[in-house]
Amino acid sequence: LGLLVLLFSSVRGADILAPANREGGLAAALATAGSWDRILLEAGGVYGNLSTDCSLHITKSGIAIAGPPGVTPGQRPRVVCGKGLRFAVISAPNVTMSNFNVTGGDCPLHEAEVKRFGGCIFAEATGGSLELASMGMARCSFGAVHTDGANVTIIDTELVNNTGTAALVTGGATLRLEKSRVLNTLEEGSDSARNRWSQVCGGYTTEASCRASNPITSNLTLCQAAGMGQSGNYGSSHFGGSVRECPGSTQDLCVAYEALNLAQTVNGVWGFQAPGGDFGGSCDGFCGAFGLKCWDAWDDLGNTCQPNPGTTLTCRDTGLLTSDHVCTCVEKDALLPSRGVSLKAHVGSLEVVETVIDGGTVSGISGFKSSVRVQGSTVSRAGTGIILYDSSLVAEQTTVTGHTTGGILFESSTGQLREVHVIKNPGMGVQGLESSLVGSSCNVSHNGAQGLLLSLTELDLEQSVVAHNGGVGLLAEHGRLTLADSTFGP
């Protein structure tokens, strides 16, 4: 080890060695180093210095934190975050990290810093870049990497068993993954509004006793600010008592029981219709009527806030026009919490090159108002392989397989696919809604439902195979099809 440090020191004059196996060692090295270029970590060392605060703020440009190169992943230095809240908050350009592992832990949902710093590594807009190479990142409670405006490159790195979203890009930034593996991105119970109800009220026999023991403490919750009721109580001063605020509401989250599904007007909005044009009687409609958007929805148990066991609803579901639901609403511009999405672009750019994405609970890749490029990669075993909303996808030499709901979903999006294999998905192959798709040398086969299901979508397909799917190979309505030199079969 001494020889290794001496070798580094002979090349770079401003390296310092962070002490291992000492709480506060890494943070202390950063705080006391003065002028420095790189912090070196010992092979096999444990830097469990973040057990209480779990934050390392990097504000100096052009610095690096590095373990020794050439060691096996098991011998890399380890940084252990006790809370799993975050490892590093980076607000300086041109920072690099390499050759060490980060392991997160459990983090209470109510931690205020979660809203600002999602992920073990959070990079703010810096005008520069962050590069992560030969890293391992596991068990980060709110994802491994979140970049908001800073361009991030991840190379030869494993993101394993992280919760929420393994890597998230927002703020118009670019996130690039190359020769990496993203495995088993989980849907944490604390990331679900339904389970939040259980956390808040699970120990109480009735909703009334839960409300009595969990009074609203803030001056104005989001439900109240949106006009659903008065400050300081769980009842409603409007709509004849048909709206009740539920335990778990905050200034940023509105959880409300509503019995207005069959009303013709809600808050002055006729037909209970959301801005997106969804049919009345859904939580999309309810939240939209108050200028909010839906995050979660569930069927109520006995006209209470409690979820009805064994039932599931999405924001768009009407529940066969039941008279009531419980809806969770957030502000329109809020970034919706992610649940088991391996890679997500929310108004940004995502590039995935020669990377394996396997085991996301909800989806492997998700894009919203973003550009996504996938090359030479495999996306496998999630709910849906790739989901695009108002986004563009360019994919080539890529396999999408093993997804329970379907391979690729386009909604109001564009897609250019070349040598893409959408195969062996228990659900459908490719679904397009109000989208424009171009494909060449593609294979959509051995899927459990339809191969291609298109509505109001343009498709130009050549030299491709659509065969051996459980449903119709190609089912299209109200669109335009151009098919050349392609094979369609049962």
Side-chain angles (χ1 to χ4, degrees):
L1 178 63
L3 179 61
L4 178 64
V5 174
L6 180 61
L7 177 61
F8 281 148
S9 298
S10 65
V11 177
R12 299 170 66 105
D15 291 344
I16 63 171
L17 181 66
N21 306 314
R22 197 186 84 189
E23 184 160 338
L26 185 55
L30 180 65
T32 61
S35 176
W36 55 278
D37 294 318
R38 181 166 60 176
I39 290 181
L40 300 179
L41 309 178
E42 298 174 293
V46 178
Y47 297 81
N49 59 316
L50 306 175
S51 60
T52 55
D53 185 5
C54 203
S55 64
L56 185 68
H57 290 265
I58 298 177
T59 58
K60 180 181 175 182
S61 174
I63 65 101
I65 300 177
V71 300
T72 65
Q75 284 299 308
R76 289 175 185 158
R78 292 191 297 124
V79 175
V80 180
C81 283
K83 286 186 177 180
L85 183 57
R86 62 188 184 276
F87 158 54
V89 177
I90 301 165
S91 57
N94 307 318
V95 173
T96 62
M97 300 181 181
S98 61
N99 301 308
F100 65 94
N101 296 335
V102 175
T103 302
D106 296 326
C107 172
L109 183 68
H110 65 268
E111 291 284 352
E113 293 295 337
V114 171
K115 297 175 184 177
R116 286 191 61 203
F117 307 118
C120 274
I121 294 182
F122 176 85
E124 294 179 293
T126 63
S129 62
L130 166 67
E131 180 175 304
L132 307 174
S134 299
M135 298 274 290
M137 305 191 70
R139 295 191 67 243
C140 296
S141 296
F142 292 86
V145 181
H146 177 190
T147 172
D148 185 10
N151 296 325
V152 174
T153 301
I154 300 174
I155 303 172
D156 187 28
T157 289
E158 284 196 348
L159 311 178
V160 182
N161 293 335
N162 296 292
T163 298
T165 301
L168 170 65
V169 54
T170 59
T174 296
L175 172 64
R176 177 182 172 89
L177 286 89
E178 183 176 339
K179 297 181 179 178
S180 297
R181 299 206 305 160
V182 185
L183 309 177
N184 296 334
T185 305
L186 308 174
E187 178 181 4
E188 183 84 15
S190 60
D191 200 23
S192 165
R194 298 178 184 88
N195 287 316
R196 181 176 301 202
W197 162 265
S198 298
Q199 289 177 350
V200 173
C201 293
Y204 298 91
T205 56
T206 65
E207 180 185 337
S209 61
C210 177
R211 290 201 307 268
S213 300
N214 293 276
I216 297 173
T217 57
S218 60
N219 292 330
L220 205 64
T221 66
L222 183 60
C223 290
Q224 296 153 9
M228 295 183 195
Q230 294 178 336
S231 173
N233 62 57
Y234 285 103
S236 174
S237 60
H238 303 121
F239 315 112
S242 296
V243 177
R244 294 201 310 272
E245 192 169 4
C246 296
S249 292
T250 67
Q251 291 176 320
D252 302 304
L253 195 71
C254 171
V255 185
Y257 165 84
E258 55 84 12
L260 296 169
N261 286 354
L262 304 182
Q264 287 191 335
T265 60
V266 174
N267 204 29
V269 178
W270 181 85
F272 203 171
Q273 189 162 345
D278 296 310
F279 184 72
S282 69
C283 283
D284 263 348
F286 174 77
C287 296
F290 291 93
L292 307 173
K293 69 179 179 183
C294 176
W295 168 28
D296 203 356
W298 65 80
D299 186 25
D300 63 285
L301 180 65
N303 300 328
T304 70
C305 293
Q306 185 175 349
N308 188 357
T311 62
T312 58
L313 288 177
T314 69
C315 286
R316 294 185 175 187
D317 288 337
T318 63
L320 298 178
L321 288 181
T322 177
S323 62
D324 51 9
H325 285 151
V326 180
C327 302
T328 302
C329 311
V330 296
E331 294 186 33
K332 277 188 175 180
D333 60 351
L335 180 63
L336 291 179
S338 300
R339 305 173 198 152
V341 179
S342 296
L343 304 176
K344 182 176 183 179
H346 188 101
V347 192
S349 297
L350 175 64
E351 300 177 8
V352 182
V353 179
E354 297 180 28
T355 290
V356 173
I357 304 167
D358 180 73
T361 307
V362 174
S363 69
I365 295 174
S366 175
F368 174 77
K369 294 185 180 296
S370 299
S371 63
V372 178
R373 180 179 293 270
V374 185
Q375 179 180 358
S377 299
T378 300
V379 185
S380 58
R381 297 195 312 152
T384 302
I386 302 175
I387 301 176
L388 286 306
Y389 296 100
D390 196 12
S391 297
S392 65
L393 170 68
V394 177
E396 56 184 358
Q397 298 176 331
T398 289
T399 298
V400 182
T401 185
H403 302 287
T404 55
T405 302
I408 306 178
L409 169 64
F410 296 89
E411 183 169 335
S412 302
S413 298
T414 63
Q416 298 181 42
L417 312 179
R418 185 176 69 85
E419 296 182 39
V420 172
H421 303 276
V422 184
I423 58 174
K424 299 181 180 179
N425 296 284
M428 69 183 64
V430 177
Q431 182 176 5
L433 175 62
E434 297 182 342
S435 296
S436 178
L437 311 178
V438 177
S440 64
S441 302
C442 294
N443 181 10
V444 182
S445 64
H446 298 283
N447 298 290
Q450 296 91 346
L452 297 168
L453 178 62
L454 309 176
S455 177
L456 300 171
T457 293
E458 297 181 355
L459 171 66
D460 291 304
L461 189 67
E462 65 178 10
Q463 297 179 343
S464 297
V465 176
V466 182
H468 306 295
N469 296 290
V472 177
L474 170 60
L475 180 60
E477 61 176 1
H478 306 299
R480 181 186 63 82
L481 304 178
T482 302
L483 309 175
D485 298 326
S486 296
T487 300
F488 293 84

